[in-house]
Structures are given as structure tokens and as C-alpha cells.
Amino acid sequence: MNDTIITIDEVEKHISGYLLMRRNMGFKCNTEEKNLKSYIGCYRKAKEVLSEHNITEWCKRRPTDAADTWQRRCTYIRQFLVYLTNMGLAVRVPPVVRTREKSSFTPYIYSSEEIIAIYAVCDNLKAVSTSTHNGLFAMPVLVRMLAGTGMRISEALSLMVHRVVLDQGYVILHACKNGKDRIVPLSETLLEVCKLYQLYRSRLPQVSDYFFVQADGCPLSYKSAAGWWRKILHGAGILHRGDLYGPRIHDLRHLFCIESALQQAKNGANFYTILPVLAAYAGHTNIASTGRYLRLTSEMYPEIMSKTEDVCEYIFPRMKSHEY
């Protein structure tokens, strides 16, 4: 047990102070805040919230945890406990969790036929009840926005109306994952879809300042979008294997990056020009992050692979084999 018993109110107060300190240092802390609040919700009724037993249970790996998810959860609670020790409170800090396990996750790359089927299902979605508190209203546009721009689902859901400049054909993504803003252009077809959506959106009795809303005018949540996405996949005949394995709605971003690189390669560009531009467009801080999206094989994309070999051949020369 910890040497100091801290009440639930004190813990919540310290969490607020900890997050404020982190944000003043320039960190966004959205996921960190969500994780710490989840811990509080799990052990709120415990006699001692920050007991060694509770911390140990929280830091155990769950069957559905990917390696990085498990490591982040342990890191968040550990950093908070270190903060408490620096505040003079006697709490036990768990050891650092380090995993050398490489991620085996492979994004699902939708085929052209699957994308057409997904759009068709989106355009024919029907609500099963008369409740307006669902995300059906925005899903056809949201799916096309993700597939047509490659933006993150979090960026789309946080998009505000005043940052959607339809008369000039672009949107402004504010305070993205790396803390920077970026401008994302819209294609002509996507622009027409957004204008039609905006027309019907303006007819809602009450509506929030978020661009993607439900029929009741409230902001569209990730939970609602994910629920509708599973229904869309089912309607398109695509097997959904669970939240951990997908296919996920975020995989539309992978598809956009790969298709963009493929199109540029077909136009004669090489990776010296493709990756830096795509990295800036996708909001990555380095080319390596963009490279992880391009999980390509020579069987799927021979055009890109052949051009990559041509560009990099002098870096990795073919060696003659000799028998000794």
C-alpha cells in the first residue's frame, strides 16, 4: 500500500494541476487526460485510489492491447505518479514498461470496388429509429472527406465551420497532431458534396459550430462514426474483425497516402519528390512517418516498386556473388 492515502477529490485536483503544467509546456495531453480519467472512473469507489494493487492491475497488459497502447497507458499513469512524488507525496511509482515488440499491424487497403460499394452504402443508409441523435446525417460526407483528403478522423471531427472555405475549395485544419495548422484542398467532386451537405446542414433548427454534426445539430462523435462505419462495412460486404484489427475508418487515410504515391509514380515522379510533399500534406513531421503508410509490395504496386528500385539502385548496388 502507499504510505499516503489520497482521497478521490485530491487525486482529481492533482490530475488537473498535472495536465495544466503539461499543457503550459506545449503538450496537448488529450489522450493522456482521457487515460487518467479512465483510471479514476475504474477505481473511483476503491478505498485507496492510488494503491499499489490498483496501479499494478492498471498496468497489466489486456488481451486486446497492442504493444504501443499498453506502453502508453503505463507511461501516462507513471508520469503522473512521478509528478506526485515531486509534489512531496509518498506514492509508489511502477517501473518503466518497455517493449521491443514490433508492431505487426497492417492497415487494410480498400480496393476500388470496395470504395465504390462503401459510397453506395453511405448514400442509402437508413435510421432504425426516429431519434435524431445519431451520426447518419454526416456519414456520407465524412467518409468521402477522409478518403478524398487523407486527413485523420480526429481532424475531421474537430473541423469547425469557419475553417471550411467552400467558395475557395479548401479547409483549414487547426492544431493538428503535431501542433501545427495546415491547409487541405478539396477536389471538385468532394467540393460539390460538401456544398450540398452544407445546404442541408444550414436548414437544421439548431446546429453547433462543428462542421460534421448529427441530425439534432450536436457534434458528431467518434463513437457514433465508428458505429456507423461497422454498419457500412457490413452493407458493403467487408468483414469487420473487431476494433483492434478493423478494417478501421482511419484506414482510409492509409489508402489516400498509397494512392497518392501511386499516382505520382505513374506520372514519372520518384520518392525524392513524392515523400517530402506527401509528408507535408499529411501533417507528418518527418518522412519516416509517411513511409510507414506506404506498406507496399511488388505484387500490389509494381509501378512504385520498380521506380523505387531505379532511384535507389546506386545506394544499394547489386553485388556479384563468388564461390570460394
Side-chain angles (χ1 to χ4, degrees):
M1 300 292 289
N2 293 323
D3 298 325
T4 303
I5 296 179
I6 310 174
T7 65
I8 183 66
D9 292 336
E10 291 175 327
V11 172
E12 290 180 329
K13 182 178 179 181
H14 284 303
I15 287 178
S16 298
Y18 168 72
L19 294 175
L20 178 61
M21 178 198 72
R22 295 275 293 172
R23 284 173 175 141
N24 287 338
M25 295 171 62
F27 297 98
K28 297 178 71 173
C29 297
N30 294 337
T31 307
E32 193 168 357
E33 179 179 13
K34 181 179 179 181
N35 196 274
L36 291 175
K37 287 184 177 180
S38 179
Y39 175 87
I40 292 298
C42 185
Y43 298 106
R44 179 175 294 275
K45 296 183 179 180
K47 181 178 179 181
E48 187 180 349
V49 182
L50 297 178
S51 69
E52 185 175 359
H53 172 75
N54 293 344
I55 296 297
T56 301
E57 288 297 314
W58 182 256
C59 291
K60 286 183 178 179
R61 187 170 184 175
R62 302 162 188 171
T64 57
D65 279 346
D68 56 345
T69 302
W70 171 49
Q71 187 169 359
R72 280 197 302 268
R73 186 175 67 250
C74 298
T75 300
Y76 291 151
I77 190 67
R78 187 180 187 279
Q79 289 178 337
F80 172 62
L81 294 175
V82 170
Y83 167 81
L84 292 183
T85 61
N86 292 335
M87 296 288 291
L89 300 175
V91 294
R92 304 287 177 86
V93 179
V96 176
V97 174
R98 298 189 185 278
T99 173
R100 295 183 180 179
E101 179 181 335
K102 294 184 178 179
S103 174
S104 60
F105 173 77
T106 301
Y108 186 90
I109 306 304
Y110 303 94
S111 66
S112 299
E113 293 76 14
E114 288 175 331
I115 290 296
I116 293 174
I118 286 172
Y119 288 164
V121 173
C122 287
D123 294 339
N124 291 279
L125 289 174
K126 295 181 180 179
V128 295
S129 68
T130 58
S131 173
T132 58
H133 191 67
N134 63 69
L136 171 61
F137 179 73
M139 286 305 296
V141 186
L142 175 65
V143 171
R144 285 176 167 86
M145 179 74 80
L146 297 176
T149 64
M151 67 175 64
R152 302 177 179 90
I153 177 65
S154 59
E155 294 170 345
L157 295 180
S158 61
L159 187 60
M160 308 299 286
V161 174
H162 68 275
R163 295 196 175 98
V164 180
V165 189
L166 296 182
D167 58 338
Q168 297 186 38
Y170 66 86
V171 300
I172 302 173
L173 301 180
H174 176 64
C176 301
K177 188 176 181 179
N178 57 10
K180 298 180 180 179
D181 297 355
R182 73 179 193 273
I183 296 177
V184 176
L186 305 177
S187 66
E188 293 183 4
T189 54
L190 180 57
L191 184 59
E192 291 302 316
V193 171
C194 289
K195 287 181 178 179
L196 183 59
Y197 167 76
Q198 180 73 322
L199 174 64
Y200 286 101
R201 183 185 178 281
S202 64
R203 297 177 180 177
L204 296 176
Q206 294 181 341
V207 63
S208 74
D209 293 331
Y210 286 90
F211 184 69
F212 290 107
V213 295
Q214 303 174 146
D216 60 359
C218 295
L220 177 63
S221 67
Y222 175 79
K223 182 178 180 180
S224 179
W228 279 104
W229 181 245
R230 287 190 289 271
K231 295 178 182 178
I232 292 170
L233 290 179
H234 178 75
I238 303 173
L239 177 64
H240 186 267
R241 298 172 295 165
D243 294 338
L244 185 61
Y245 301 101
R248 311 164 306 163
I249 193 170
H250 186 72
D251 289 334
L252 293 172
R253 176 171 165 86
H254 295 272
L255 175 65
F256 174 85
C257 291
I258 292 175
E259 288 292 334
S260 298
L262 176 60
Q263 186 60 46
Q264 291 299 316
K266 287 181 177 179
N267 293 337
N270 58 53
F271 277 141
Y272 284 117
T273 56
I274 293 174
L275 289 184
V277 174
L278 187 56
Y281 179 90
H284 292 149
T285 55
N286 54 65
I287 296 178
S289 298
T290 308
R292 285 194 288 269
Y293 281 91
L294 306 179
R295 299 169 182 259
L296 309 176
T297 62
S298 56
E299 292 81 9
M300 291 176 61
Y301 299 101
E303 299 92 339
I304 289 185
M305 297 307 295
S306 62
K307 289 184 179 295
T308 305
E309 292 172 359
D310 293 340
V311 170
C312 302
E313 186 174 10
Y314 79 96
I315 300 177
F316 302 103
R318 295 179 180 177
M319 305 297 293
K320 296 181 179 180
S321 60
H322 300 277
E323 294 182 0
Y324 293 96

